Amino acid sequence: MPPESQPSNFIGSMVSIDCGQLGIYQGHVKKIDPVMNTLTITHAFHNGLRCDQSEVNLSSTTIHDIKIIHASNEAKEIITRKATPSKMTKEIDEVTKPVCSSPIKIIEATSKARNGNGFYNSGSNGHNSQSCRRKLSPPDSPSKLTDPTDGLLGPRPRMSKSREPPIQEALEHAHDDHASNGGSGSFKNWSNHQSSADHNRKSRSSRKGESNRRGANAKNSECFSAPTESYLQEEFDFELNLAMFNKKKVFQEIENGFPELSLEEEPVEQKYKHDENVLKSGVSDTTALKQIRVPEVKSQMYFTDNGIAVPSISLELRDKLCEAASLFGLSQARQLEAFGRAASEMVIHLIGGSHRIHPKNNHQMPSVVVLCGPHHHGALGVCCARILSSHGVQVTLFMPHVTMLPPSVADELELYRLSGSAITHNVQGLPDTIDLIVTAMDTPYDLTITKQPWYVSITKWFTSGDIRAQVLALDPPADGVGIPAKWSLCKVLPLTKVAATCGSLYLCDLSIPASIFKKSGITYVSPFGSKFIIPLHAKQ
């Protein structure tokens, strides 16, 4: 490769790049990447128009031809020269605009006369011929010729083999006049011819402009010259005109003519709150997917959001199933931890999720009160409180002061104390600002617990005080809870005949294998899908 064709010689130059169908690019070469085979230009123009990008990268596969317009030293002077905001620099104008201000320009004539082969030979008269130098714009951008005499843009005259260019015709006329007149007056006749052509072009332009002005004035007169009195003679009666339209009759005719286009009103869809989960319309026993079957006859049916039927079971059958799972390795401690994990996840969702719990919100962390009883169900609440505390929630645990606690409750309390969160044995230690109340005070195995002094004090505190927080009940008994709950979270399968004070039912997954369900006489296919907590809806 010769030195002048080395790629590095293009850097700093102002070039014109032919990219075929992509058009013509002009600009200042900034760099050439031999690895990626790309060429980067700045101050780029595409088809005569300035590019919006500060840099344009062109692949070598798209480049057909490259021409250097200005060398690197000239290009540097052009780029650094301060340009006015109203127009481009003179050097770039020479690339993108014609040099001549009119299609034909008289310059110093050469001493050549035209011979029979189409070339001009030297003459003895010494007069000059006429020519015009033009730099053409890229092929993809149509070239325009500007006539300063009339301010109109006209298309560039096309060349053809059968017709010579206008400049060559003018030179022929000038040469013939010179020969016939003995070498005098040829350029004078040519100048007169040119002046006549300019005069005709001006006349046509003025007549065209006058015609356009007349047409615009006629349209304006037709639009805005109407008499205003004709529209103000009588007021339009909208009510009378509307009464003439019998909508019912028209719709009746449409329905009779096109029975398939029924205009009967569809039942209005019931609107629900943003935190309510409801079944889609039409879910019933016949359409629901029944993949869980229980041996009990008096089973109440619930449905998931996906239309899966979930039957209820008795407390005895659920205890039997949990004991069977404990024998196979899923101990009560593991079941307790799984339930506490699901309950804490539901609590975090109810108090705002990531909008309330994040490292930059230490001064506005939500406050949760967990009410627990001195029994196994109370251990569910303590486990939930410990997990919430590990997530940074401000937890206050209520546990009545008793001498003997079940082992599961004692172990959970020991772990909770290690978290450093608050614990109280009376209602005076409960906070004033509460976002959510979690209750695990009730148990189906001790019906006399509602008469305990600590239980009475809690119910009195809730009913008499200005408590606006909602209540979540953890595995409540079917008979209901002392503090009415808005939500209740149950495990394994819902219990039969759940009281209305339990609120909306939710079911959590303890991941008990299907074989253990089968040993208890239950055909079980998990209804949870991708979730660990699902809402349950009673049959409508």
Side-chain angles (χ1 to χ4, degrees), residues 351-364:
I351 60 180
S354 59
H355 297 286
R356 299 286 305 278
I357 303 176
H358 56 83
K360 296 183 180 180
N361 194 27
N362 292 329
H363 63 290
Q364 293 179 346

Side-chain angles (χ1 to χ4, degrees), residues 366-393:
S367 175
V368 177
V369 170
V370 183
L371 307 175
C372 302
H375 43 69
H376 178 70
H377 276 69
L380 300 176
V382 181
C383 179
C384 176
R386 171 177 55 84
I387 298 175
L388 290 175
S389 179
S390 65
H391 284 267
V393 181

Side-chain angles (χ1 to χ4, degrees), residues 261-462:
L261 300 177
S262 177
L263 298 178
E264 295 181 359
E265 295 184 359
E266 297 183 358
V268 180
E269 184 179 359
Q270 184 180 357
K271 296 183 178 180
Y272 301 91
K273 296 181 180 179
H274 68 281
D275 58 346
E276 289 184 315
N277 294 292
V278 296
L279 289 174
K280 296 181 180 179
S281 59
V283 178
S284 61
D285 287 340
T286 57
T287 60
L289 180 60
K290 296 182 179 180
Q291 57 187 16
I292 303 176
R293 301 183 182 276
V294 296
E296 297 178 344
V297 179
K298 297 180 180 180
S299 176
Q300 184 179 358
M301 197 66 67
Y302 293 89
F303 300 93
T304 66
D305 289 341
N306 296 327
I308 300 176
V310 179
S312 62
I313 58 177
S314 63
L315 180 62
E316 292 77 12
L317 181 59
R318 194 184 73 172
D319 291 343
K320 178 182 176 182
L321 183 62
C322 292
E323 290 177 2
S326 179
L327 293 176
F328 282 94
L330 193 61
S331 62
Q332 290 187 357
R334 295 180 63 182
Q335 296 178 29
L336 176 64
E337 188 70 21
F339 187 91
R341 171 68 173 77
S344 60
E345 182 179 355
M346 184 173 180
V347 170
I348 291 175
H349 174 74
L350 292 176
I351 60 180
S354 59
H355 297 286
R356 299 286 305 278
I357 303 176
H358 56 83
K360 296 183 180 180
N361 194 27
N362 292 329
H363 63 290
Q364 293 179 346
M365 292 300 289
S367 175
V368 177
V369 170
V370 183
L371 307 175
C372 302
H375 43 69
H376 178 70
H377 276 69
L380 300 176
V382 181
C383 179
C384 176
R386 171 177 55 84
I387 298 175
L388 290 175
S389 179
S390 65
H391 284 267
V393 181
Q394 295 180 0
V395 182
T396 302
L397 177 67
F398 171 84
M399 175 64 70
H401 184 71
V402 293
T403 55
M404 293 294 294
L405 288 173
S408 59
V409 180
D411 294 341
E412 288 296 330
L413 273 177
E414 190 67 25
L415 288 174
Y416 176 77
R417 288 191 178 95
L418 296 176
S419 67
S421 297
I423 183 172
T424 181
H425 302 288
N426 49 61
V427 295
Q428 287 77 18
L430 298 176
D432 297 330
T433 303
I434 304 173
D435 289 286
L436 184 70
I437 297 176
V438 180
T439 175
M441 300 189 304
D442 301 274
T443 175
Y445 306 105
D446 188 3
L447 300 179
T448 62
I449 198 172
T450 57
K451 300 178 181 179
Q452 297 291 333
W454 64 267
Y455 195 99
V456 175
S457 63
I458 288 292
T459 54
K460 185 178 179 181
W461 165 80
F462 182 81

Side-chain angles (χ1 to χ4, degrees), residues 475-489:
D475 195 24
D479 297 337
V481 291
I483 298 178
K486 186 175 182 179
W487 310 280
S488 289
L489 182 63

Side-chain angles (χ1 to χ4, degrees), residues 107-115 119-131 171 175 178 187:
I107 62 174
E108 183 180 358
T110 62
S111 60
K112 291 185 179 180
R114 183 172 179 176
N115 58 15
F119 296 94
Y120 294 96
N121 296 327
S122 300
S124 60
N125 49 28
H127 288 284
N128 296 334
S129 62
Q130 300 166 352
S131 65
L171 290 173
H175 178 69
H178 174 72
F187 285 102

